[in-house]
Structure formats: C-alpha cells, structure tokens
Amino acid sequence: MPAADLQLDWVRAFVAVVDAGSLTAAAPLVHRSQSALSMQLKKLEDAVGRPVLNRGPRHLELTPTGLELLGHARRLLEVHAQAQAALHGPTVTGRVSLGVPDDYAAAYLTPVLRSFGARHAAVEIDLVCEQSTTLLPKISRGEIDLAVVSRDRANRGTLLFHEPLVWVGSPQHEAWRRDPLPIAAYEAGSMARRAALAALASQRRAYRVVYNSASLAGQLAAVESGLAIAVLTRCSMPPGLLQLQEKHGLPALPSMEVAALRSRASAGSGAVDALHAEVLRTLRRNG
C-alpha cells in the first residue's frame, strides 16, 4: 500500500508547534485555532503512521520519527517559499537594520527570521541589540530601519502584544528578604527601571539600587549571584530563577506594550516593507 502524501498545511503546523513549543503559542503563527492545529497534527501522524510528538501537559517532545521528519519538513517549506517567490514577483533585495532588545530577540526573533529568510534569502539583515530607550531615538533619527521595542507612549508604531514585567530572584539567596531591598536596575531612563521603582514607592518599600547594567546578561548575573533581585520581562526569565510575587512582599508590576516601529527614512524600501510585514504577521496577536 503506497504511503499517504504529506499535505503542506500539516507540515507547516508541525514545524510551527516544534518552534513555538506549544499549540497555544503556535496557533497565531499559522492563523489557526488550537483545535484546528491539533487536528492537522493528527492527520500528519495518521499519514506518517507513527506519532511525531509526545504531548505532555506542559511540554512537547519530538519522537524519533518526529526528529527524523523535522529536517525534511523544514526543507519542504523552504522549497515551497522559494517557488512562491519565483512565481509571484521579483526577488526582494537590499539591506535592513533591525533593532531589538536582547530579551525580545532571544524569545521572539527566531520564527520571524526563519520565515523571512525562507521567503527573502537575498535580503541582508543588520541586527542591533540594544535597550528600547536607545532604539527609539535611533528610529526617529533614521539610524535604523525597523525595531521591535517596548513603546514609550500609546499609538506609537503598531502594537504587537503585551509583555509582563516580573520580579525575579535567586531561590538560593533570598535577597528579597533583605531590608532595604537590593535592586539590580537597567540604565537610567529604562521603562522597566521606572516601573520597578514606582511600584516600590507606591508600596513604601525601602530599597537600594546596588547594581546597574544595560544588558540582560548583566541583570541575570546580579540575580544569580544573590547580589540583588531584578525586574525582567517574563519572556527573558530563565528556568533557574524564581518569579517573586505579592507573597514575597513585592508589588505588582505593569506589562510592556511591545510594538513594531519603522523609520520614515525607510519608506520605499521593499526589503524593509517585507521584513515589517513578516514581523506583523508572526508576532502580532489579537486582543
């Protein structure tokens, strides 16, 4: 009996779930509901004849069959994207400078670049990883073309999603029990820094900034060493740290509005148009 054909939608669903780590995170990437995505995975497994994913309550794991299929699946999608580009218009070329803070780059940039690279392999991307407070004026001055940042005011750029801020500490050192509270903070002017200090002021909690760093790596080093606690975006919190809450004596924190912005100087660039569209398609969430 001949093997069943693998439909492209099933393959795309499979790769999206593997890359996103869950059906919930993958669904908006392929513009499907979770139930529709689950059905596509089932059809793929029926066609393959064996499970490709072990789906636990909190994580997904590739089966040996799924691991073998994944490389073929990526190549299928890449060849399909190349065929689409060849048939439906001229190749987009050029260079794009893209600004993203370290935490958003690590958490969100991979699916954008993977999909964009498959469609527009001739475009060169210069990645600038700096804090949002540094990237925003660079967009205004036209020094970079496009940025994914925590926006500083409503209606600036296109809203993609809300990213919660969280207090984090090392469970081995319990720095949150000290008085005054030792804080690791981003650079002066950082929106995360302002939010943290305003929350502590509203609680009338005594604190002391004992460590300053503009980098995510620097913040993590301060926390992991037990020197201080810090405020991070939830997406950048590594597994070994503890998210601190009201039961630890810490006040609630707001969420950051993550938005895509492009410079006026980039108008008319097909490469920037294409990358901007890919960012919106991949990262923008409804609601």
Side-chain angles (χ1 to χ4, degrees):
M1 182 177 179
D5 290 338
L6 303 181
Q7 291 190 18
L8 205 62
D9 281 351
W10 307 345
V11 173
R12 187 176 288 110
F14 169 61
V15 172
V17 170
V18 171
D19 289 343
S22 71
L23 268 72
T24 302
L29 300 181
V30 292
H31 307 287
R32 295 284 188 274
S33 66
Q34 282 184 243
S35 59
L37 201 57
S38 181
M39 182 61 68
Q40 287 180 325
L41 288 176
K42 183 180 184 305
K43 289 178 179 178
L44 176 67
E45 290 181 326
D46 289 344
V48 170
R50 294 185 296 277
V52 296
L53 290 169
N54 289 324
R55 284 177 258 179
R58 295 190 178 182
H59 72 283
L60 293 168
E61 187 177 69
L62 283 165
T63 66
T65 300
L67 187 60
E68 183 179 359
L69 174 63
L70 184 59
H72 298 295
R74 292 199 192 282
R75 287 192 293 275
L76 280 170
L77 294 179
E78 183 176 352
V79 170
H80 179 262
Q82 291 169 352
Q84 291 280 69
L87 292 169
H88 297 291
T91 300
V92 176
T93 61
R95 190 169 183 168
V96 182
S97 53
L98 171 64
V100 187
D102 285 342
D103 47 355
Y104 296 156
Y108 299 117
L109 202 55
T110 299
V112 174
L113 296 181
R114 180 181 292 120
S115 182
F116 182 80
R119 289 183 172 90
H120 306 292
V123 174
E124 182 179 351
I125 298 175
D126 293 330
L127 185 62
V128 180
C129 286
E130 295 177 347
Q131 291 298 310
S132 295
T133 46
T134 304
L135 294 172
L136 285 166
K138 287 187 174 182
I139 281 283
S140 298
R141 295 192 297 263
E143 294 173 11
I144 57 175
D145 301 312
L146 182 64
V148 175
V149 294
S150 298
R151 66 183 181 184
D152 54 351
R153 62 174 184 264
N155 302 321
R156 189 171 190 178
T158 302
L159 179 64
L160 300 173
F161 55 88
H162 291 82
E163 180 66 33
L165 290 174
V166 294
W167 297 102
V168 296
S170 166
Q172 287 78 31
H173 298 94
E174 299 189 349
W176 61 89
R177 298 186 184 276
R178 299 177 201 158
D179 190 25
L181 184 69
I183 299 291
Y186 281 112
E187 77 282 3
S190 159
M191 287 175 270
R193 179 184 180 125
R194 291 202 304 266
L197 300 188
L200 290 171
S202 69
Q203 193 188 48
R204 298 184 179 179
R205 176 74 184 269
Y207 67 89
R208 187 166 65 95
V209 177
V210 299
Y211 183 88
N212 294 273
S213 174
S215 75
L216 175 61
Q219 296 293 314
L220 293 176
V223 174
E224 290 168 351
S225 68
L227 182 65
I229 68 167
V231 171
L232 304 178
T233 49
R234 188 170 62 189
C235 67
S236 63
M237 178 181 164
L241 297 183
L242 178 66
Q243 181 175 330
L244 306 174
Q245 300 171 337
E246 291 184 12
K247 66 181 180 182
H248 300 100
L250 277 304
L253 292 167
S255 293
M256 295 288 97
E257 290 189 341
V258 182
L261 283 72
R262 64 178 294 177
S263 68
R264 291 184 179 179
S266 71
S269 166
V272 179
D273 289 345
L275 184 54
H276 184 234
E278 189 63 46
V279 167
L280 298 186
R281 188 189 72 82
T282 306
L283 297 182
R284 195 175 189 182
R285 301 174 189 164
N286 295 326

